[in-house]
Amino acid sequence: MIRSVISGIGSYVPPKAVTNDDLAKLMTTSHEWIQTRSGIEERRFADEGVYCSDLALEASKKAIEDAGITKDDVDFIILATLSPDHHFPGTGCALQDKLGIGPVGALDVRNQCTGFLYSLTVADALVRTGAYKNILVVGAEVHSSALNFTDEGRSVAVLFGDGAAAVIVSPSEEEDRGVLYTELHAEGKYAKALHLDIWDISRKPYLTAEDLEKGQHWPAMDGGTVFKHAIIRLVEVVEHTLEKNGFTKEDVKYVIPHQANMRINQFVADKLKMPREKFLHNMQKYGNTTAASIPLLLDETYRQGMLNRGDLLLLVGFGAGFTWGSALLRW
Ligand code: UT7
């Protein structure tokens, strides 16, 4: 049986660090509020002129190098983002062009905070069919251009950061290694709990100057509703993933959760009666990088030498859509 493995990994964040105190100069907020409510202390913001595909490119180069392949060995691209370079064409196409590789397929995935898990699931399935050997899977975001840094937008603006992370997904003959299982969910009836109002393609024209005046181009979130559902679904998906695969909570070396809110992840750990230390975090430094958040944390954990061959890792995420899911990996 062919399994898919992560054969290379890399990440990139823009150099500009923005602290909570920096944000407090732009709006009525404080380090204390942001840190205690979310766990976030700073985030990275890309400079003007930097595209999502630029961050994706830097992360991709590192993943390709880590896999010991060349860019020309990449035979398919999957790019997850909620902040694409443009509405169309897809940002995967821009990444392909910037990488300077041949006419391999490029698929954009638009599943927000669960985007990496959706992308990994697709890559895993494509590799196991034998169709592809080195799929580049990237999560990348430039949130900083689309956040409202005034009091009106403060409940969302303080949470998000820019960044990218990439993996190469390749076949392996080792049965007990790699992507063991993935699980994906969506519940579209909660779309309005975290969304962007414009544009609305049912309207003619779909975008007006009045929309901008009303601030409908800023993301809107009902934080409490997202928080409540995130906890329920994350607990559920951890329990189901382990049970379905015959593992116990003790078998898991680390949970690599989406980095939206420290309190969400601690609450989930407590509810599951798992040690909080098993749930890893780096949102303190990067905030919520949506599609990049899970692979960014995975890459950092790997670079810090915390992963050994054979470790069981559980990746979980929840976000807009609502969407949520898991991936069980044997490193
Ligand atoms: O990755 C996508 C998924 N997203 C998430 O998982 C986010 C889930 N939700 C959350 O993380 C939390 O709901 C937040 C961190 C967004 C908010 O925490 P909260 O404890 O639910 O605060 P709240 O929304 O209930 O707001 C409490 C107060 C409000 O003031 P009043 O009405 O009590 O006077 C807000 O207006 O805090 C106020 N507030 C702020 N104060 C200072 C909201 N944003 C800020 C801010 N600084 N940035």
Side-chain angles (χ1 to χ4, degrees):
M1 177 188 170
I2 299 180
R3 276 215 184 274
S4 73
V5 291
I6 291 182
S7 58
I9 182 163
S11 64
Y12 177 79
V13 290
K16 185 162 79 190
V18 176
T19 64
N20 293 342
D21 285 336
D22 292 331
L23 293 182
K25 290 174 196 148
L26 306 173
M27 62 188 97
T28 315
T29 191
S30 64
H31 172 71
E32 202 266 336
W33 192 96
I34 302 169
Q35 206 272 331
T36 53
R37 303 275 172 150
S38 70
I40 296 163
E41 294 169 16
E42 60 179 46
R43 71 286 293 140
R44 302 298 181 92
F45 281 173
D47 286 331
E48 173 105 37
V50 173
Y51 284 106
C52 174
S53 56
D54 294 323
L55 303 188
L57 174 66
E58 297 309 318
S60 300
K61 286 198 246 173
K62 292 185 185 179
I64 288 167
E65 190 189 344
D66 187 54
I69 59 172
T70 72
K71 60 189 171 72
D72 296 312
D73 296 320
V74 170
D75 49 11
F76 198 77
I77 295 172
I78 305 178
L79 186 143
T81 188
L82 74 59
S83 47
D85 291 2
H86 304 285
H87 185 56
F88 77 89
T91 300
C93 296
L95 173 62
Q96 184 205 58
D97 181 43
K98 287 176 182 178
L99 270 171
I101 60 176
V104 301
L107 171 70
D108 273 33
V109 167
R110 301 294 305 276
N111 290 74
Q112 304 76 240
C113 305
T114 324
F116 180 76
L117 297 174
Y118 270 79
S119 303
L120 186 64
T121 301
V122 174
D124 172 49
L126 290 174
V127 163
R128 283 191 289 108
T129 65
Y132 298 101
K133 294 207 158 20
N134 292 301
I135 301 185
L136 172 61
V137 176
V138 195
E141 304 287 357
V142 176
H143 283 307
S144 54
S145 318
L147 295 170
N148 180 2
F149 296 108
T150 69
D151 283 10
E152 231 172 292
R154 66 179 182 172
S155 61
V156 176
V158 299
L159 302 176
F160 292 90
D162 302 340
V167 298
I168 303 291
V169 181
S170 308
S172 162
E173 295 294 335
E174 293 169 85
E175 273 191 31
D176 194 33
R177 227 192 120 215
V179 182
L180 304 184
Y181 173 82
T182 66
E183 179 171 325
L184 301 173
H185 300 276
E187 201 169 16
K189 72 177 171 189
Y190 293 106
K192 292 281 180 189
L194 179 49
H195 74 120
L196 195 67
D197 241 357
I198 61 165
W199 47 76
D200 179 342
I201 207 71
S202 72
R203 296 183 319 168
K204 300 175 192 329
Y206 66 90
L207 177 60
T208 65
E210 202 190 340
D211 295 336
L212 297 181
E213 276 161 30
K214 284 195 206 152
Q216 288 182 355
H217 55 304
W218 304 122
M221 176 168 74
D222 173 355
T225 300
V226 178
F227 198 106
K228 195 175 79 192
H229 284 261
I231 286 165
I232 294 167
R233 294 310 192 180
L234 289 171
V235 168
E236 206 175 84
V237 84
V238 168
E239 282 178 335
H240 187 248
T241 300
L242 294 177
E243 187 192 307
K244 190 138 188 227
N245 291 278
F247 290 116
T248 66
K249 293 164 197 167
E250 290 70 36
D251 293 328
V252 177
K253 172 89 178 277
Y254 295 120
V255 177
I256 310 279
H258 170 50
Q259 300 292 292
N261 187 313
M262 181 85 81
R263 285 190 300 144
I264 291 180
N265 295 342
Q266 288 176 342
F267 197 98
V268 171
D270 294 350
K271 189 94 185 150
L272 288 163
K273 298 195 169 47
M274 288 176 79
R276 285 186 176 185
E277 308 74 60
K278 271 198 183 183
F279 281 63
L280 303 183
H281 293 109
N282 64 2
M283 89 246 313
Q284 303 93 313
K285 292 186 286 180
Y286 307 121
N288 182 347
T289 57
T290 308
S293 119
I294 293 174
L296 184 58
L297 178 58
L298 185 62
D299 182 48
E300 221 175 65
T301 308
Y302 164 66
R303 304 264 161 214
Q304 286 167 357
M306 291 167 64
L307 301 182
N308 296 308
R309 190 75 174 256
D311 286 345
L312 191 66
L313 305 177
L314 181 51
L315 283 44
V316 289
F318 179 93
F322 290 148
T323 57
W324 66 98
S326 70
L328 198 55
L329 304 184
R330 178 78 73 189
W331 195 253

